[in-house]
Amino acid sequence: MSIAIDHTGRVALVTGAGAGIGREIARWMARAGAVVAVNDVRPEAAEAVAADIERDGGRSVAVPADCRDDAQIDDMVGRTVDQLGGLDIAVNNIGMLGGARPAPFVEQTTADWTEVVAQNLLLSAACARAEARVMLDRGIGGALLFVTSGETTRPALGLAHYGAAKAAVNHLVTTLAMELGPDGIRVNAVAPGTTLTETVAAAFTDDHVEALVASTALRRVTEPDELARLTVFLASDLARCITGQLILADAGAHLSRGRPT
């Protein structure tokens, strides 16, 4: 006997899906049978991922939008429903440093904090609000998921603004799980450790990667597809009793008392 995750007949929207973790989540949702709306602020990136999914035999549409604009968020969600027939799964993967950079807390400016909190907490909340409204209107439940960070489970040295903003998203998850649970909407978060996306791999030296590997219990870093598979599981009926949870996928980095140098 085998157990398969099957999202056939479900519509999934993935934000920030033009590259990295978001792209893998969109691809794996499609492999599990969902029809997928691919969002990115860059239209060409969203269209490329949607085209890849279609070439692999899935069904997908690109819904580019700048999620700093509430009107564009509403339009993104509306196009998803109009073109694909509903919204059952929403994965909020937006989150970045923006123009800010890693720095000691005393060197971070209020402008840095404002941008990082907006890019991570406020955009995630705005997207979730639009997505939840649609799920509530449909009245058949759904799954809301957020990609946060392993930095929320340990001191985020040099990234105080980022860690605090992502930790706030974790708290939002627990609140939404209680508010939306009676309507059959499950809300969870996945927290990656350092994940070797193209951007991260290009920014790190070999020595830095070796130090990161040495700091984890499993002596490895997280791959983007591993986050994607976890997300596909949490959105599935196999996880139908799981809500309000933060699931770490960091190769055991949170267990380390040290830190990479």
Side-chain angles (χ1 to χ4, degrees):
M1 182 180 71
S2 63
I3 299 174
I5 293 177
D6 186 3
H7 287 307
T8 300
R10 292 176 177 153
V11 176
L13 166 63
V14 185
T15 66
I21 292 171
R23 179 176 60 201
E24 289 304 307
I25 291 172
R27 287 173 170 171
W28 278 86
M29 284 290 178
R31 288 169 184 161
V35 291
V36 182
V38 178
N39 162 263
D40 201 271
V41 69
R42 302 160 298 165
E44 67 281 1
E47 290 161 3
V49 173
D52 284 346
I53 290 172
E54 294 269 338
R55 276 192 295 271
D56 287 342
R59 183 182 171 203
S60 182
V61 297
V63 286
D66 185 339
C67 294
R68 292 170 292 187
D69 182 342
D70 282 355
Q72 291 194 45
I73 292 174
D74 290 338
D75 182 64
M76 169 186 73
V77 175
R79 279 183 289 154
T80 299
V81 174
D82 291 344
Q83 295 181 49
L84 299 180
L87 181 62
D88 304 288
I89 302 164
V91 183
N92 294 299
N93 175 59
I94 294 176
M96 60 205 81
L97 285 176
R101 293 289 180 270
F105 171 70
V106 294
E107 296 177 12
Q108 294 172 1
T109 66
T110 298
D112 291 335
W113 273 77
T114 299
E115 181 171 18
V116 172
V117 170
Q119 293 274 8
N120 293 276
L121 173 60
L122 300 187
L123 267 61
S124 293
C127 290
R129 184 169 57 240
E131 295 153 359
R133 285 171 176 164
V134 168
M135 291 180 181
L136 290 170
D137 287 344
R138 297 184 73 215
I140 58 173
L144 276 176
L145 294 118
F146 296 80
V147 178
T148 66
S149 172
E151 297 296 341
T152 64
T153 65
R154 56 184 179 267
L157 301 179
L159 295 169
H161 41 21
Y162 180 78
K166 287 293 194 183
V169 177
N170 293 347
H171 190 276
L172 177 66
V173 165
T174 63
T175 300
L176 296 186
M178 285 295 292
E179 287 196 9
L180 301 175
D183 291 283
I185 299 171
R186 295 186 299 106
V187 188
N188 290 293
V190 297
T194 301
T195 306
L196 287 185
T197 62
E198 300 96 321
T199 302
V200 172
F204 283 2
T205 65
D206 289 344
D207 288 344
H208 196 166
V209 172
E210 288 179 9
L212 284 168
V213 167
S215 73
T216 69
L218 295 178
R219 297 299 188 266
R220 59 189 298 274
V221 294
T222 308
E223 299 293 341
D225 72 296
E226 293 171 323
L227 263 295
R229 285 180 279 166
L230 173 59
T231 304
V232 169
F233 163 73
L234 287 172
S236 77
D237 290 340
L238 293 178
R240 65 188 179 188
C241 199
I242 300 175
T243 196
Q245 296 299 309
L246 170 67
I247 310 296
L248 282 168
D250 66 351
H254 67 286
L255 301 172
S256 173
R257 295 183 180 179
R259 64 184 179 93
T261 56

